[in-house]
Amino acid sequence: MGKITIKDVAREAGVSISTVSNALNNVDVLNPVTKSHVLKVAKQLNYVPNLNGKQLRSGKTKMLGFFTTSVSGPYFYKLVESMSRECDRLGYGLNVFITKDRHVIMSNILGRRVDGAIIYEELRIDEEDITAMEKEKIKAVFLDRVLQNETMGSVIFDSYVAGYEATKYLISLGHKKIAYISGVDTMFDSVERKEGYLAALRQYQLPTSEDYILQGYFEEEGTYNAVKSFIHLHPDKLPDAFLAGNDVSAIGCIQALKKHGYEVPLDISVMGFDDIDIAQYFSPPLTTVRNQIARQGSLAVNHLVHMIQKKELGSAQKLACELVVRGSSHVKIDRNDHI
Amino acid sequence: MGKITIKDVAREAGVSISTVSNALNNVDVLNPVTKSHVLKVAKQLNYVPNLNGKQLRSGKTKMLGFFTTSVSGPYFYKLVESMSRECDRLGYGLNVFITKDRHVIMSNILGRRVDGAIIYEELRIDEEDITAMEKEKIKAVFLDRVLQNETMGSVIFDSYVAGYEATKYLISLGHKKIAYISGVDTMFDSVERKEGYLAALRQYQLPTSEDYILQGYFEEEGTYNAVKSFIHLHPDKLPDAFLAGNDVSAIGCIQALKKHGYEVPLDISVMGFDDIDIAQYFSPPLTTVRNQIARQGSLAVNHLVHMIQKKELGSAQKLACELVVRGSSHVKIDRNDHI
DNA sequence: CCTTTTCATGAATACGTTTTCATAAACTAA
DNA sequence: TTAGTTTATGAAAACGTATTCATGAAAAGG
């Protein structure tokens, strides 16, 4: 005996296919007696509807797709977890696609494997693809990416303000020589944070210098190496404080400083962005700027579902950030005082 | 103009539907001229095949489903990343479902949204469901779970040996009072590690005691609280070493010990399991037992695809572990010596 | 009692694709 | 040439479901 279909249930229950379909989908035109009878037979036969048939006919999958290059690291799993939770709440499933292949993404979206898409910015979908999606009236929400386009949604962090506030905070501690450890230059967050950092320096009339902008690639090891080589190259020009592009980077920075005998935060203050899980347990606990990651996830899903169900266009949403002061930053101490 | 289907391509190219299908799917019965002409027209119309139609007809989705309760934490993202990579390599897509709802899982599997399933043990699928899958000849691989059943695959870590070897190592450092911080008692790894721990103690004639088995729930905070209350209850009976159920737990343990003025590893050795990313950067760097997580992921996918394509039954695979000695463990120092 | 309305059900179609099978055309072997 | 064979193509069926519409029965209205 092969796979049991709606046909088998119909035959066994002595009714038509449409009646079974109506019973299973709670269409209230049925005699309650027939309905419960059909349901009983269906359960008894262990009937499970074939989703491909269902989806083909209805044109809906009740699935949202999250397209990303990676799920590694605290940012992603907080994000995915919150999206998943919100999907659950709204009666959708979440489909996580990890890929860098634009073609895979588009064929899944345009091929209707999902009802809508949430796309992580690093994927950099072209305008051309977005146009294709518009034509098909497909809804999408972009994360961490600003769009020229007004038809799709987006949820971004106000990273410019984050960078600005962080820098302002370091200045308020008395630091004057503040270095920035950059992430990846194609990424929105990274660039915005740097712009905010530069803006704050300018506002307080502090000098900005290319030497004080390192490349850490948002990675622990990348930052470790960058800071290490900075120390070797400019042992005399060490900054008062490092503003790392994210917490992972801040950790790499602190590792490198420790390794070379500097104490954080007494000798040098270090802070990051994101407030990842380990930030508070790290030694020293990280001063950082917290993004509302879970909020971003649930908002993206909410927005997308709204767009799908109300057939509306998307809009750009911006989330505020929050300064978290912990042990890796300290009021500037002039060591010369002690001599 | 609505969605472009294979029909439109056929009309536009002046051929039949079957010819278009053959051209697109590289069935080599076609005149190369017709084929390339069809392909050109398809591209020109921006045709993208509807996956639901495709899947319904062919009975295949070329998708594997990973069913899990969570993707949070280093274990999961390493696992997911490696599974995704392996799926790519084998021409499959990976579908991550985060849910605890048995019904959601079964309707996705039996409803053929995926060609096969990888199931994380915490979900505890019933025998009944497994039987249902067998009947439908659906293939599945279970992670971290041993099966009575011989029809499905499984990939587990040899956690018993891991627990045994870790304990043996601590004993070799001269520790005699060794406590175990348990994870979740329904989880295979947690139980096996504890059994290995107990076996090692017995073998070396060291006493085992219920007092020395704490509940940390595989969580930082849970462990922190457990260790804290242990210190309050038995300040005089502190162990020489803590063997934590995993690294996250070990970190919580060390936090608690530090908080109460104990030095790790000089006063007390602590070690964990898993070798998560931060283990080496933590202060002190964690001594731990490393599991081949990435290997588990790729093996599971490989095995599953093999089962699907060769229509074979699954088997149980066991992965060896590896002791990683770092700074959180130390040869036993009897502080009385110094007095 | 007849007409109209409501109610419950089933037959048939459509969704977009792959695949089987028939057929026509173009070769090959005598 | 004629029969047999290969090659390229298309018509039609099938996958499993939701949905539209027709139909018959029962209830309501007069």
Side-chain angles (χ1 to χ4, degrees):
Chain A
M1 182 191 56
K3 171 74 182 159
I4 290 187
T5 73
I6 197 172
K7 228 181 245 180
D8 302 310
V9 178
R11 183 170 12 83
E12 197 68 20
V15 297
S16 73
I17 291 182
S18 17
T19 299
V20 177
S21 177
N22 283 331
L24 291 168
N25 295 304
N26 272 328
V27 182
D28 58 348
V29 293
L30 249 48
N31 185 328
V33 179
T34 340
K35 180 172 166 182
S36 70
H37 173 236
V38 169
L39 255 35
K40 207 181 72 187
V41 172
K43 171 162 287 180
Q44 181 186 314
L45 293 180
N46 288 319
Y47 169 68
V48 178
N50 179 301
L51 295 170
N52 298 311
K54 221 176 151 123
Q55 291 167 180
L56 174 59
R57 173 61 226 225
S58 69
K60 286 172 191 168
T61 66
K62 279 290 178 177
M63 281 273 152
L64 303 183
F66 174 48
F67 296 86
T68 177
T69 52
S70 155
V71 290
S72 292
Y75 168 71
F76 284 110
Y77 62 69
K78 279 196 182 172
L79 185 66
V80 171
E81 198 104 324
S82 70
M83 290 194 301
S84 173
R85 201 183 309 276
E86 191 69 7
C87 278
D88 258 19
R89 218 176 59 78
L90 299 176
Y92 281 79
L94 182 70
N95 219 303
V96 182
F97 294 86
I98 309 167
T99 181
K100 296 185 181 183
D101 188 341
R102 200 186 57 81
H103 181 258
V104 169
I105 300 168
M106 293 318 288
S107 59
N108 275 294
I109 296 180
L110 296 174
R112 310 286 175 156
R113 211 197 293 270
V114 293
D115 289 348
I118 296 173
I119 301 173
Y120 181 63
E121 89 104 17
E122 213 190 334
L123 288 167
R124 304 249 114 224
I125 298 294
D126 329 43
E127 273 306 316
E128 188 190 350
D129 286 328
I130 295 183
T131 315
M133 290 168 59
E134 280 169 25
K135 255 191 196 136
E136 305 273 349
K137 304 213 181 301
I138 284 178
K139 310 299 184 187
V141 170
F142 290 80
L143 298 186
D144 299 357
R145 170 166 179 192
V146 269
L147 296 170
Q148 294 86 321
N149 197 301
E150 286 299 316
T151 61
M152 300 294 176
S154 66
V155 185
I156 63 175
F157 296 121
D158 202 339
S159 292
Y160 177 87
V161 170
Y164 176 84
E165 294 291 339
T167 311
K168 207 172 117 185
Y169 162 72
L170 289 173
I171 294 171
S172 80
L173 294 181
H175 301 306
K176 297 206 184 322
K177 294 184 291 179
I178 302 173
Y180 180 76
I181 304 174
S182 184
V184 180
D185 278 348
T186 56
M187 288 175 73
F188 179 73
D189 278 347
S190 179
V191 174
E192 291 288 296
R193 285 167 184 171
K194 181 160 69 178
E195 291 302 322
Y197 152 81
L198 292 171
L201 290 186
R202 278 193 295 268
Q203 189 186 333
Y204 287 88
Q205 323 263 351
L206 294 173
T208 63
S209 152
E210 271 303 319
D211 286 349
Y212 272 1
I213 297 186
L214 318 194
Q215 290 289 337
Y217 307 102
F218 277 167
E219 286 165 1
E220 207 165 300
E221 204 179 322
T223 304
Y224 184 91
N225 294 332
V227 172
K228 199 172 118 184
S229 65
F230 183 95
I231 295 173
H232 286 150
L233 286 170
H234 315 285
D236 48 330
K237 289 172 63 179
L238 226 62
D240 305 331
F242 280 100
L243 177 58
N246 66 7
D247 287 344
V248 173
S249 192
I251 287 175
C253 174
I254 294 175
Q255 300 293 351
L257 292 174
K258 274 184 186 168
K259 187 84 175 182
H260 288 79
Y262 296 99
E263 242 186 278
V264 176
L266 262 28
D267 294 324
I268 300 178
S269 286
V270 176
M271 66 178 288
F273 291 89
D274 295 342
D275 192 27
I276 60 179
D277 285 343
I278 37 172
Q280 61 180 309
Y281 292 111
F282 193 73
S283 168
L286 252 45
T287 292
T288 185
V289 182
R290 177 189 297 156
N291 274 330
Q292 304 181 56
I293 302 174
R295 193 74 213 297
Q296 184 186 35
S298 58
L299 195 60
V301 168
N302 234 302
H303 190 38
L304 182 58
V305 169
H306 186 90
M307 288 165 68
I308 292 171
Q309 292 181 344
K310 311 277 178 184
K311 305 190 177 169
E312 285 179 6
L313 294 183
S315 60
Q317 324 257 345
K318 214 175 227 186
L319 292 172
C321 59
E322 189 183 348
L323 181 69
V324 181
V325 176
R326 297 209 187 89
S328 69
S329 57
H330 194 278
V331 171
K332 165 82 174 155
I333 299 170
D334 199 335
R335 289 268 165 158
N336 295 328
D337 291 357
H338 300 272
I339 302 181
Chain B
M1 182 193 55
K3 171 73 182 160
I4 290 187
T5 73
I6 199 172
K7 229 181 244 179
D8 301 310
V9 179
R11 185 171 10 83
E12 196 70 19
V15 297
S16 75
I17 292 182
S18 16
T19 300
V20 177
S21 178
N22 283 332
L24 292 167
N25 294 306
N26 273 329
V27 181
D28 59 349
V29 294
L30 249 47
N31 184 329
V33 180
T34 341
K35 180 173 167 180
S36 71
H37 173 236
V38 169
L39 255 34
K40 207 180 73 186
V41 172
K43 171 162 287 181
Q44 181 185 313
L45 293 179
N46 288 320
Y47 169 68
V48 177
N50 179 300
L51 295 170
N52 298 311
K54 219 174 155 126
Q55 291 167 179
L56 173 59
R57 175 58 228 224
S58 69
K60 286 173 190 167
T61 66
K62 280 287 177 180
M63 282 271 152
L64 303 183
F66 173 48
F67 296 85
T68 176
T69 53
S70 154
V71 290
S72 291
Y75 168 70
F76 284 109
Y77 63 69
K78 279 197 182 172
L79 185 66
V80 171
E81 199 104 324
S82 71
M83 290 194 301
S84 173
R85 201 183 309 278
E86 191 68 8
C87 278
D88 258 20
R89 218 175 60 79
L90 299 177
Y92 280 79
L94 181 69
N95 219 304
V96 182
F97 294 86
I98 309 166
T99 180
K100 296 185 182 182
D101 189 339
R102 200 186 58 82
H103 181 258
V104 169
I105 300 168
M106 292 317 288
S107 59
N108 275 294
I109 295 180
L110 296 175
R112 310 284 174 158
R113 211 199 294 270
V114 291
D115 289 348
I118 296 173
I119 301 173
Y120 180 62
E121 89 104 16
E122 212 189 335
L123 289 168
R124 304 249 113 225
I125 299 294
D126 327 44
E127 274 306 316
E128 187 190 351
D129 286 329
I130 295 183
T131 314
M133 290 169 59
E134 280 170 26
K135 256 192 196 136
E136 304 272 349
K137 304 214 182 300
I138 284 178
K139 310 298 183 186
V141 170
F142 289 80
L143 298 186
D144 299 356
R145 170 165 178 193
V146 268
L147 296 170
Q148 293 87 321
N149 197 301
E150 287 298 316
T151 61
M152 300 294 176
S154 66
V155 184
I156 63 175
F157 296 121
D158 200 339
S159 292
Y160 177 87
V161 170
Y164 176 85
E165 293 293 337
T167 310
K168 206 171 119 184
Y169 162 72
L170 289 172
I171 294 172
S172 79
L173 293 181
H175 301 306
K176 298 207 184 322
K177 293 184 290 179
I178 302 173
Y180 180 76
I181 304 173
S182 183
V184 179
D185 278 347
T186 55
M187 289 174 74
F188 178 73
D189 279 348
S190 179
V191 174
E192 291 288 297
R193 284 167 185 172
K194 182 160 66 178
E195 290 303 321
Y197 152 80
L198 292 171
L201 289 186
R202 277 192 296 268
Q203 188 185 334
Y204 288 86
Q205 324 264 348
L206 293 173
T208 64
S209 151
E210 270 303 318
D211 285 350
Y212 272 0
I213 296 185
L214 317 194
Q215 289 291 337
Y217 307 105
F218 276 167
E219 286 165 2
E220 206 165 299
E221 204 179 322
T223 304
Y224 184 91
N225 295 332
V227 172
K228 199 172 118 183
S229 65
F230 182 95
I231 295 174
H232 285 150
L233 285 171
H234 315 286
D236 48 329
K237 289 172 61 179
L238 225 61
D240 306 331
F242 279 100
L243 177 58
N246 66 6
D247 288 344
V248 172
S249 193
I251 287 176
C253 173
I254 294 175
Q255 300 293 353
L257 292 174
K258 275 184 185 168
K259 187 83 175 184
H260 288 80
Y262 296 98
E263 243 185 279
V264 176
L266 263 28
D267 295 324
I268 299 178
S269 286
V270 176
M271 65 178 289
F273 291 88
D274 293 345
D275 192 27
I276 61 178
D277 285 344
I278 37 173
Q280 61 180 309
Y281 292 112
F282 193 72
S283 171
L286 252 46
T287 292
T288 185
V289 181
R290 178 188 297 155
N291 274 330
Q292 303 181 58
I293 302 174
R295 192 74 214 297
Q296 184 186 34
S298 57
L299 195 59
V301 168
N302 235 302
H303 190 39
L304 182 57
V305 169
H306 186 90
M307 289 165 67
I308 293 171
Q309 292 181 344
K310 310 276 178 183
K311 305 190 175 167
E312 285 179 4
L313 295 183
S315 60
Q317 323 258 346
K318 213 175 227 187
L319 291 171
C321 60
E322 189 182 350
L323 181 68
V324 181
V325 175
R326 296 209 187 88
S328 68
S329 57
H330 194 279
V331 172
K332 167 81 174 156
I333 299 170
D334 199 334
R335 290 269 167 157
N336 294 329
D337 293 355
H338 301 273
I339 301 180

